[in-house]
Amino acid sequence: MKSDRSLDVVIVGLGRVGRALAKQIQKADSQLRIVGLADRGGLLYHERGLSASLVDEALSAKAEGSSIGICPSALPPIYRFSDLATSRTLFVDATAASGMAAGWCEVLASSGAAGVVLANKLPLCEAWSVSGPLFNHPRVRYEATVGAGLPILSTLRSLLATGDLVTRMRGALSGTLGYLVNQVSEGHAFSAALSDAIALGYAEPDPSADLGGRDVARKAVILSRAVGWPAELSDVERDGLVPDSDAYQGAPSADYSSADRKLKELFADADCDGIAIRYLAQITPERISVGLARIDLHDPFAALAGTENRIAIHTRRYPIHPLAIAGPGAGPETTAAGVLSDLIDLAEKSKLRGENPCPC
Amino acid sequence: MKSDRSLDVVIVGLGRVGRALAKQIQKADSQLRIVGLADRGGLLYHERGLSASLVDEALSAKAEGSSIGICPSALPPIYRFSDLATSRTLFVDATAASGMAAGWCEVLASSGAAGVVLANKLPLCEAWSVSGPLFNHPRVRYEATVGAGLPILSTLRSLLATGDLVTRMRGALSGTLGYLVNQVSEGHAFSAALSDAIALGYAEPDPSADLGGRDVARKAVILSRAVGWPAELSDVERDGLVPDSDAYQGAPSADYSSADRKLKELFADADCDGIAIRYLAQITPERISVGLARIDLHDPFAALAGTENRIAIHTRRYPIHPLAIAGPGAGPETTAAGVLSDLIDLAEKSKLRGENPCPC
């Protein structure tokens, strides 16, 4: 009975987010069943659903650093996901791969899949001519790309659907940079804070995309496009937390003594002036900037602790005091929850569409 | 074509929220059409939709303090809304009437209406045995009852749907009380702040439900019930901003000199101790309390300005730093937007259910 009404999920990419999602789907007694797991090395697929033991086997292989391809029942990797799509199929892109936008557009156009959910930011940040069709598509969701499980993109969608008009957004959108800025503002050396962040799992072993602000720039472009301002990544005015020349040397072997000195000075000056510094994205219809910003101590952004994210949405209905959403915006569990929330939303809509099949 | 796919809305109650909603529905080129407007004095109804001029006529009559009953095409008031319900009908309760829960349950049970959206808190706060069926019903929404247009209840629903577990909530849930507390903390006399709040439209001319904390207690009960803790209103430990004996005399004629003195003293003491005071609801599975609370100056609740609301949601996934939502939580426009968001959500689901009618 359940299987007759359930939607089929194919998870592409089984890093930490993909694996956490697979576990959450298995645990939630929901209308979703996993029919496919895919990585670069292989595909596990069964149209009536993968058994729990097969999913566990795949997750174990991935957790140990192998590919799905080593599972005895694995098929060769697939590159045209539209071949797997039926009107009951929901695809999840939990990869970090580039160049996926066209493929997802094809899936939506040719096969009429039930939906595509992106945890991967890159398909949304390609040239607008390529990524555009993914925005405002009724069967595409991407909540987890900004703020992990925080309900940021669904809130924007709801504001627009009820006739509100977004005028500007301001966001602290990187847990990694938030942590680093907090540590430096408390007097720790930047290089020491970075080593801690890597050890604690807050930062990637190669933190260059974070440190250079490229990751925040992508999120800013996604937010901008989501409210109807089709900016390109190249339009973003971006300053890294440390200069690109330092950031891209690759930590922890890089020499950050120059960055240590500069940031220490910057934060000491701010302290004297009685202001705070935060790494912010500022988004208007005309301009997107990403970088360190000096803000008032009473600004709610000054109170962010740890790896917290925060977004402030100014609209026609919220002109002075914005609508604000804050909380931990990283971690595989919360990111997977953002994806699952999208899946449930699409499933409720798709399931109902097919609920009363015509018997004739 | 549009009318074939649209859902029918009946708005019961045409105070400021009901009127703002009617205008928003007319403006949004959405899948919704108004088929009924009702108040205590009359009903305007047409199964194929009310004309824009008829809606305008009704709104004008209400804005001038009359009943819908004075419109020439008005029918007598109706008390069994299930008589109007079809599978395409969405009802909105924008009244402030008590005793409505059983009627809405009847509408849902007997007629299979497309849904019921509540802006009225009271049906959700009756005895659990009466209100219970309205919670977690797939065709009931009540976003606007807490935080107006802020996405608080939809966020709770999404957390629960993805398998998270709420552990406690803390909220500044009254724009009126927030404004008064802010003014008093800045040195203004309570009685003067109250007169200002009434003049500015932040407080009702009879502010007793606000001042006594009864309105916040209702919101706290709704939040508690929404996450699966079926508390009763009588369970709430409630302290008013001023004692009930003062609050219920009715302002602005009441004598608040005693409240002025007590609050001045309370806030002066807090100032000396370097802490802030806020009017908070604190909700756990075991206990709900509502009243003035002393908090740290670094607490994000201390930074609230004007009539802002804020909720902090602690869950298994957000154990230390909560998921927080903040912003202006009052006003007819934002409250109506919360209702409209609920209507769109239910409409998307219901519309799809009937999208492919069986031709046989």
Side-chain angles (χ1 to χ4, degrees), chain A residues 24 149-151 155 158 161-162 298 303 305-306 308 310 317-318 321-328 333-334 337 340-341 344-345 348-349 352-353 355-356 358-360, chain B residues 24 149-151 155 158 161-162 298 303 305-306 308 310 317-318 321-328 333-334 337 340-341 344-345 348-349 352-353 355-356 358-360:
Chain A
Q24 285 181 14
L150 301 179
T155 296
S158 168
T162 60
H298 298 293
E308 279 188 295
R310 178 184 169 90
R317 285 192 202 119
Y318 298 100
H321 299 299
L323 195 170
I325 298 168
E333 282 297 320
T334 49
L340 183 53
S341 175
I344 292 170
D345 187 37
E348 284 181 351
K349 287 166 182 143
L352 289 164
R353 191 185 292 142
E355 201 171 45
N356 300 314
C358 179
C360 44
Chain B
Q24 286 181 14
L150 301 179
T155 297
S158 168
T162 60
H298 299 293
E308 280 188 295
R310 178 184 168 91
R317 286 193 200 118
Y318 298 101
H321 298 299
L323 195 171
I325 298 167
E333 281 298 321
T334 49
L340 182 54
S341 174
I344 291 171
D345 187 39
E348 284 181 354
K349 287 167 183 144
L352 289 164
R353 192 186 290 143
E355 201 171 48
N356 300 314
C358 178
C360 44

Side-chain angles (χ1 to χ4, degrees), chain A residues 233-246:
Chain A
L233 205 48
S234 56
D235 296 334
V236 178
E237 298 168 32
R238 173 172 62 82
D239 277 322
L241 181 59
V242 297
D244 273 9
S245 55
D246 286 352

